[in-house]
């Protein structure tokens, strides 16, 4: 997030796009609901009638995968009607002419044809956003899990810059992270192109810095593989060994048939986890790890706030903390690591990571977290980014054109399947499905289908249906509901009995590598 | 009764709470009222997040596949095997035949260390995580 959760309490308008906030980020969802109840406005962009729709002043139900067109349409209106923040655009940004050219093609009428969003609703949304100073955009994976995910994110930023919604409280673009330490995994260099703090592996100065800090020579300066390309390399036989810490790609990844093939094609698979996940079952070695309550360490939440969690109990049996296991392997491989605890690891992170330099364990014991960038031990942390300038100087408009889904429906596969989560379960369910109360509320996946489609196909509530894509078939029960638009079906990936990712398309965004979970073509029929 | 402060293991909100301990066992959860993130509130997942900790299904022993079956073993055997396999595959096929997935569920310190293991020890940038998924 460029801004902070607490600033939501002062915002006058929210655009929530591609985020089922009340179910996926309940405590942030609560902030939105409370804000609306005290008088803030809510513009919701979501094809589904998610719970927040009840609170929305304008609900734009765009066709799946048409986000760029809708956002470009809003900018078209804003420029046409002179509602842009001219001073901001002149002094803080570059590339306005290019943006203007691109969005000029997206009049409300054109956008209505592409997206199904009513032209007058689009105009109203554009005016409202441009005319409200304290307006925050919140987004989540409904934006990023598309082959055009990077374009979607850029287009959200364009809209925000065009209207000067950056650099002060209660504005900005605010991605909501789905797992408790996604932000931290990225911050710590769990990406093929960067070390911790987003320092690039192909920058010679960075390479030298880490060689000195780590006491090694010849660090690799070629960007590595993303998870999607790793799976392809494994399938081809180029990738031989994979070490997976605390993840379950056998349920979370798209086109599962292929993932299983890739993983079984490896010479050696190591899985370190707290439960025997679907992925661990395929491993050559399974290493039992400690869970959050069994170790001390830090997590970075969606607003860049680094917080410390403490060890409460010992891990079960022989299980050990992930860091102890890694250290042990390093020592055996001939590179000594001698950390006595995670405080010492954090001290090293402070030294090599400028944005985390001032975030020490001893400070975190005294405050409720510190938001990076926090460049030294006196620094209070940063509640909102881009105060006086963007990190790289001027903010560049990066205009994008609308591109359709990688796989559009045809006469055989005539529905779009979109995926998401439900309130009572979390991700692949490895943790939440072992919690009785949660499991009782949401014990299985359903597939949502619109009443008109259901009627045509003779499907009633709770009928068993078969859903197939070009990649696989699953059977599950139907929920007939107008929550989904016509010709769209929705389901969740929490449940290993009905692995919806057998169906999803691994076609991915060329830059981020994120697959298109939010839309692929399927067919559906009643079987009982 | 002791209380230990922690962070919810689920979504990215990062809600704070206490794990409540009775005679060394976790018995429940108590919110931390004055923190700025969740101000003492939790959702149903957070309120029940201690429930899976002592699940009988937790992994307790390292396992190594022997004759096709995952078999209980010692840490020494498991980690010697991991290290020798990673090293020999690197020596035969090069660093880029190895890859590492770090985790959106473990601590910063552990993510940093796995990234360091991949880069400093095994000299590969094939490091990613599943969180985009
Ligand atoms: S308590 Fe609920 S909202 Fe808070 S971090 Fe946990 S899952 Fe997210």
């Amino acid at each position: 997030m460029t801004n902070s959760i607490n600033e939501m309490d002062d915002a006058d308008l929210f655009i929530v796009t591609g985020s089922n906030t009340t179910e996926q980020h309940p405590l942030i969802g609560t902030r939105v609901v409370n804000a609306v109840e005290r008088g803030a406005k809510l513009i919701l962009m979501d094809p589904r009638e998610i719970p927040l729709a009840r609170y929305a002043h304008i609900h734009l139900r765009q066709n799946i995968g048409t986000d760029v067109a809708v956002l470009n349409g809003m900018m078209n209106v804003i420029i046409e009607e002179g509602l842009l923040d001219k001073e901001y655009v002149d002094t803080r940004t570059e590339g306005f002419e290019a943006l203007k050219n691109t969005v000029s093609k997206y009049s409300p009428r054109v956008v209505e044809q592409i997206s199904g969003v009513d032209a007058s609703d689009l105009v109203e949304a554009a005016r409202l956003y441009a005319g409200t100073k304290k307006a925050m955009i919140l987004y989540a994976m409904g934006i990023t899990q598309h082959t055009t995910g990077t374009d979607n994110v850029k287009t959200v930023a364009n809209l925000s810059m065009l209207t000067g919604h950056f650099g002060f409280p209660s504005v900005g673009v605010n991605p909501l992270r789905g797992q408790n330490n996604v932000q931290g995994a990225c911050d710590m260099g769990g990406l093929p192109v960067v070390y911790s703090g987003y320092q690039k592996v192909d920058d010679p100065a960075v390479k030298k810095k880490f060689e000195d800090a780590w006491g090694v020579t010849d660090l690799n300066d070629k960007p590595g593989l993303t998870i999607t390309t790793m799976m392809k390399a494994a399938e081809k036989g180029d990738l031989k060994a994979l070490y997976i810490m605390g993840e379950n790609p056998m349920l979370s990844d798209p086109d599962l048939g292929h993932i299983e093939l890739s993983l079984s094609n490896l010479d050696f698979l190591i899985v370190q986890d707290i439960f025997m996940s679907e992925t661990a079952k395929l491993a050559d070695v399974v290493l039992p790890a400690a869970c959050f309550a069994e170790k001390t360490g830090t997590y970075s939440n969606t607003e860049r706030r680094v917080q410390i969690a403490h060890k409460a109990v010992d891990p079960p049996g022989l299980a050990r903390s992930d860091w102890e296991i890694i250290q042990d392997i390093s020592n055996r491989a001939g590179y000594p690591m001698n950390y006595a605890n995670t405080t010492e690891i954090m001290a090293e992170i402070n030294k090599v990571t400028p944005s985390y330099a001032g975030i020490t364990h001893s400070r975190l014991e005294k405050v409720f977290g510190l938001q990076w960038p926090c460049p030294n031990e006196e620094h209070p942390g940063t509640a909102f980014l881009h105060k006086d300038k963007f990190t790289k100087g001027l903010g560049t408009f990066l205009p994008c054109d609308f591109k359709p889904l990688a796989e559009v429906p045809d006469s055989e596969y005539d529905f779009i399947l979109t995926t998401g989560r439900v309130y009572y379960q979390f991700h692949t369910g490895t943790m939440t499905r072992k919690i009785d109360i949660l499991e009782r509320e949401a014990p299985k996946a359903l597939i949502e289908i619109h009443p008109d489609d259901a009627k045509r196909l003779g499907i009633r509530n709770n009928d068993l249906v078969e859903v197939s894509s070009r990649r696989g078939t699953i059977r599950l029960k139907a929920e007939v509901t107008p929550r989904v638009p016509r010709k769209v079906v929705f389901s969740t990936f929490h449940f290993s009995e009905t692995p919806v990712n057998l169906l999803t398309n691994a076609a991915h965004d060329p830059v981020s590598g994120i697959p298109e979970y939010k839309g692929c073509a399927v067919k559906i029929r009643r079987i009982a | 009764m002791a209380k230990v402060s922690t962070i919810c293991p689920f979504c990215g909100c990062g809600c704070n709470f206490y794990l409540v301990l009775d005679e060394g066992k976790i018995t429940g959860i108590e919110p931390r009222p004055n923190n700025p993130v969740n101000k003492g509130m939790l959702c149903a997942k957070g309120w029940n997040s201690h429930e899976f900790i002592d699940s009988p299904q937790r992994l307790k022993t390292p396992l190594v596949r022997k004759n096709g079956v995952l078999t209980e073993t010692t840490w020494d055997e498991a980690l010697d095997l991991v290290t020798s396999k990673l090293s020999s595959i690197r020596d035969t096929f090069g660093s880029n035949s190895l890859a590492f997935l770090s985790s959106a569920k473990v601590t910063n310190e552990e993510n940093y260390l796995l990234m360091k293991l991949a880069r400093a020890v095994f000299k590969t940038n094939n490091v990613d995580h599943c969180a985009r998924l």
Side-chain angles (χ1 to χ4, degrees), chain A residues 180 191 332 348 361 423 512, chain B residues 10 45 80 109 112 132:
Chain A
N180 82 331
L191 293 166
R332 283 162 204 260
E348 180 174 322
H361 277 196
Y423 176 72
S512 71
Chain B
F10 298 122
K45 284 176 285 228
D80 281 342
E109 291 81 356
Y112 173 83
R132 343 160 147 205

Side-chain angles (χ1 to χ4, degrees), chain A residues 145-339:
Chain A
Q145 289 179 343
H146 279 293
T147 45
T148 57
T150 303
D151 287 357
N152 292 348
V153 171
K154 284 181 192 162
T155 307
V156 169
N158 291 342
L159 173 64
S160 231
M161 288 199 294
L162 182 66
T163 46
H165 283 113
F166 269 123
F168 56 95
S170 306
V171 291
V173 297
N174 300 288
L176 306 179
R177 308 292 189 169
Q179 300 183 55
N180 82 331
N181 208 28
V182 181
Q183 184 68 52
C186 298
D187 295 349
M188 291 301 111
L191 293 166
V193 285
V194 289
Y195 295 99
S196 58
Y198 306 95
Q199 304 174 82
K200 295 213 159 68
V201 297
D202 55 4
D203 178 334
V206 169
K207 173 173 181 267
K208 175 85 174 56
K209 169 180 164 176
F210 277 88
E211 284 173 347
D212 292 348
W214 289 346
V216 294
T217 50
D218 47 85
L219 285 176
N220 194 328
D221 58 2
K222 304 266 175 314
L225 303 174
T226 63
I227 178 164
T228 318
T229 46
M230 283 176 196
M231 294 300 163
K232 289 211 174 96
E235 201 183 326
K236 282 211 314 230
D238 295 342
L239 190 71
K240 304 286 183 193
L242 179 60
Y243 185 148
I244 303 179
M245 171 171 74
E247 297 283 6
N248 188 13
M250 267 305 289
L251 209 50
S252 65
D253 284 27
D255 197 356
L256 287 182
H258 263 102
I259 299 287
E260 180 158 8
L261 208 72
S262 300
L263 294 180
S264 21
N265 208 25
L266 291 165
D267 288 355
F268 200 59
L269 174 63
I270 305 151
V271 175
Q272 181 168 313
D273 211 328
I274 60 174
F275 289 114
M276 183 56 84
S277 66
E278 289 70 24
T279 308
K281 286 182 189 147
L282 300 176
D284 296 291
V285 177
V286 178
L287 304 175
C291 80
F292 77 107
E294 296 152 357
K295 59 194 181 187
T296 293
T298 63
Y299 302 89
S300 304
N301 82 348
T302 194
E303 54 172 355
R304 297 167 281 104
R305 184 185 300 274
V306 184
Q307 308 185 95
I308 193 160
H310 299 92
K311 177 175 173 170
V313 287
D314 287 325
L318 300 177
R320 300 167 72 193
S321 295
D322 295 277
W323 69 269
E324 294 174 302
I325 302 171
I326 298 165
Q327 168 156 302
D328 212 335
I329 294 171
S330 187
N331 286 328
R332 283 162 204 260
Y335 179 86
M337 287 187 185
N338 301 301
Y339 306 101

Side-chain angles (χ1 to χ4, degrees), chain A residues 24-27, chain B residues 8 10-15 42-47:
Chain A
Q24 306 329 324
H25 300 93
L27 265 294
Chain B
C8 178
F10 298 122
C11 86
C13 292
C15 292
L42 293 172
C43 80
K45 284 176 285 228
W47 273 117

Side-chain angles (χ1 to χ4, degrees), chain A residues 6 9 23-24 26-28 31 145 177-182 184 186 188-192 194-195 201 214 217-220 222 224-227 230 239-243 245-247 253 268 273-276 281-286 288-289 291-295 298-302 305 307 309-311 313 316 318-320 322-323 325 328 330 332-333 335 339 342 348-349 352 361 368 423 425-427 431 434-435 437 512 514-515 517, chain B residues 4-17 19 21 24-26 32 34-39 41-45 48-65 70 73-83 85-87 89-90 93 95-117 119-133:
Chain A
N6 264 328
D9 297 350
E23 306 210 30
Q24 306 329 324
L27 265 294
I28 290 180
R31 300 272 183 140
Q145 289 179 343
R177 308 292 189 169
Q179 300 183 55
N180 82 331
N181 208 28
V182 181
C186 298
M188 291 301 111
L191 293 166
V194 289
Y195 295 99
V201 297
W214 289 346
T217 50
D218 47 85
L219 285 176
N220 194 328
K222 304 266 175 314
L225 303 174
T226 63
I227 178 164
M230 283 176 196
L239 190 71
K240 304 286 183 193
L242 179 60
Y243 185 148
M245 171 171 74
E247 297 283 6
D253 284 27
F268 200 59
D273 211 328
I274 60 174
F275 289 114
M276 183 56 84
K281 286 182 189 147
L282 300 176
D284 296 291
V285 177
V286 178
C291 80
F292 77 107
E294 296 152 357
K295 59 194 181 187
T298 63
Y299 302 89
S300 304
N301 82 348
T302 194
R305 184 185 300 274
Q307 308 185 95
H310 299 92
K311 177 175 173 170
V313 287
L318 300 177
R320 300 167 72 193
D322 295 277
W323 69 269
I325 302 171
D328 212 335
S330 187
R332 283 162 204 260
Y335 179 86
Y339 306 101
T342 50
E348 180 174 322
I349 296 170
V352 297
H361 277 196
F368 282 106
Y423 176 72
Q425 297 285 359
F426 178 74
H427 210 243
M431 295 182 279
K434 297 180 180 77
I435 299 178
I437 298 177
S512 71
I514 301 178
Y517 290 103
Chain B
V4 178
S5 74
T6 193
I7 310 295
C8 178
F10 298 122
C11 86
C13 292
C15 292
N16 292 238
F17 55 79
L19 291 167
L21 290 143
K25 282 197 82 81
I26 297 172
R32 295 181 75 182
N34 23 357
N35 84 79
V37 176
N38 52 310
K39 302 184 173 169
M41 293 180 291
L42 293 172
C43 80
K45 284 176 285 228
N48 292 289
S49 58
H50 61 298
E51 298 266 355
F52 71 84
I53 298 170
D54 58 3
S55 157
Q57 295 174 53
R58 284 286 302 275
L59 290 168
K60 297 186 188 72
T61 316
L63 306 171
V64 165
R65 196 171 290 279
L70 282 170
T73 183
T74 61
W75 276 109
D76 273 336
E77 188 189 342
L79 295 185
D80 281 342
L81 180 67
V82 166
T83 313
K85 274 286 190 180
L86 290 177
S87 306
I89 289 173
R90 175 198 54 196
F93 300 101
S95 293
N96 283 333
S97 60
L98 308 177
F100 295 78
L101 289 179
S102 64
S103 172
K105 299 186 192 89
V106 313
T107 62
N108 288 324
E109 291 81 356
E110 291 164 325
N111 275 301
Y112 173 83
L113 221 56
L114 187 74
M115 174 295 277
K116 183 174 178 181
L117 181 75
R119 292 188 159 124
V121 184
F122 292 103
K123 303 286 162 62
T124 179
N125 286 318
N126 292 342
V127 186
D128 204 353
H129 62 280
C130 298
R132 343 160 147 205
L133 312 181

